[in-house]
Amino acid sequence: MLTSKQCMELEATYGAKNYKPIPVVISKAEGAWVWDPEGKKYLDCLSAYSAVNQGHLHPRIVQAVKDQMDKVTLTSRAFYNDRLGAFLKKLCEVAGLEVALPMNTGAEAVETGLKIARRWGYQVKGVPSNQAEIITAKSNFHGRTSTIIGFSTDEGARKDFGPFMPGFLNIPFNDIQALEDAITPHTVAFLVEPIQGEAGVIIPDEGYLRKVREICSKHNVLLITDEIQTGFCRTGKMFCFMHDDIEPDILLVGKALSGGVFPVSAAITRKDIMDVITPGSHGSTFGGNPLACAAGEAALDVLIDEKLAERSAELGQYFLDEIKKIGSPLFKEVRGKGLFIAIQLTDEAGGARQYTEKLKELGILAKETHVHTIRLAPPLIIKKEEIDWALDILRDVFKA
Ligand SMILES: Cc1ncc(COP(=O)(O)O)c(C=O)c1O
């Protein structure tokens, strides 16, 4: 077996440098815990950016995948498979919407949502050809494709990758008036994360999404919520939009839809909107494959049967309150919803990276986002005792 040092050296030699990982190698995982090749144990407080909400290697998901492996893994959509229909039914019921289009990665789900919205704009709303506009929020994160980075405001993600796709416009997040002002007769959609995850768990004002819903309805503009990170119980509800008691027109999901087994994503919407997608207009070789459907169905069952939304709400509130009580002078703000928590450090703290590295030394894996913020998003199956264990370490690191 390779040592941690050997693994990191091999990656540094043969891999592109598109990430700057915390220097820890994970070779085994179970539930909320991961191990390095030397046998050191860590509490996972990132959950692969919320893809492992159900915990690592959830036995029901693993069993479903193993069972499916013995039958059929990939058919392509040239043929029907015996798993897709039942998976999509369950997904639509969970989302409270009518039809879904399965893809693989989150970015593909976003691309799918954008394509549906543009076609709907031309074919249903009557926007003149090639003039559709889509509004997005500043500091968004929706993925890494050429189209998506075109409407990112993160210079690091955009630099020297242009020219970019036209037809997108940024407005400030959490600003209702800016949305109202930006809408024109050519606007087909507003694409927004209900809580901005990669920006540092930025939570909008109470009722923001409800007001966004009203404005979109008033102007016949589709509301596309990207719940690839906030979805599947992370924020204390099955989907974050449910806190506002609204229904998006298009819902984008990914990550925890497979419980972290492999990429499974989807765009979910109503029939009247999805009808613009016709044979040949969109697809993916692996999208909707039987293995993905088996993982997806089991992943959804686990979220429901283990009441992970309620768990996330309860334990999240406890974790948040206890972190706030640490009251460190290094904290600028501690915020969160469910088990989606961010500690924003003061400028004087000197950057979050030194703290995430220190936490790693003490057995907690968390990742900084931007310079000053540490996100804490453990698997939702985490136990209260495990949170208490993490709190002791956080106290040690931030009281000092
Ligand atoms: C809100 C949001 N949308 C889209 C994506 C992209 O997902 P993927 O990395 O699977 O393409 C992410 C990933 O972090 C995300 O947080």
Side-chain angles (χ1 to χ4, degrees), residues 97 142 190-194 209 212 222-228 230 239 241 246-253:
L97 288 161
H142 298 288
F190 178 46
L191 167 66
V192 70
E193 300 157 82
L209 214 55
V212 164
L222 299 180
L223 169 57
I224 310 177
T225 51
D226 178 344
E227 296 239 20
I228 289 162
T230 53
F239 294 105
F241 72 75
I246 59 135
E247 190 178 276
D249 298 301
I250 301 177
L251 170 65
L252 308 176
V253 294

Side-chain angles (χ1 to χ4, degrees), residues 98 212 271 300 366:
E98 293 173 346
V212 164
K271 278 199 179 73
L300 292 171

Side-chain angles (χ1 to χ4, degrees), residues 49 105-108 110 141-144 193 198 226-229 255:
Y49 298 97
T105 64
E108 287 175 313
V110 175
F141 185 86
H142 298 288
R144 298 289 193 176
E193 300 157 82
E198 292 312 295
D226 178 344
E227 296 239 20
I228 289 162
Q229 191 159 163
K255 295 192 192 272

Side-chain angles (χ1 to χ4, degrees), residues 188-309:
V188 298
F190 178 46
L191 167 66
V192 70
E193 300 157 82
I195 291 175
Q196 290 190 322
E198 292 312 295
V201 190
I202 307 297
I203 305 171
D205 294 340
E206 179 81 34
Y208 170 66
L209 214 55
R210 211 170 317 128
K211 290 189 202 127
V212 164
R213 174 68 280 176
E214 280 166 26
I215 291 172
C216 287
S217 299
K218 183 169 115 192
H219 295 281
N220 196 22
V221 165
L222 299 180
L223 169 57
I224 310 177
T225 51
D226 178 344
E227 296 239 20
I228 289 162
Q229 191 159 163
T230 53
F232 300 126
C233 308
R234 175 52 60 191
T235 71
K237 296 259 185 199
M238 179 56 78
F239 294 105
C240 195
F241 72 75
M242 292 174 172
H243 291 286
D244 280 65
D245 225 357
I246 59 135
E247 190 178 276
D249 298 301
I250 301 177
L251 170 65
L252 308 176
V253 294
K255 295 192 192 272
L257 181 50
S258 75
V261 177
F262 44 67
V264 183
S265 70
I268 318 168
T269 180
R270 296 190 308 271
K271 278 199 179 73
D272 61 309
I273 298 171
M274 192 68 95
D275 279 350
V276 299
I277 298 296
T278 47
S281 62
H282 193 55
S284 155
T285 302
F286 277 82
N289 70 76
L291 205 54
C293 297
E297 256 196 85
L300 292 171
D301 285 342
V302 168
L303 294 169
I304 297 163
D305 294 349
E306 298 189 14
K307 298 191 171 30
L308 292 187

Side-chain angles (χ1 to χ4, degrees), residues 117-118 120-121 125 127 132-134 186-190 220-222:
R118 280 183 165 177
W120 173 88
K125 183 166 178 173
V127 172
E133 292 164 6
I134 293 177
H186 294 173
T187 305
V188 298
F190 178 46
N220 196 22
V221 165
L222 299 180

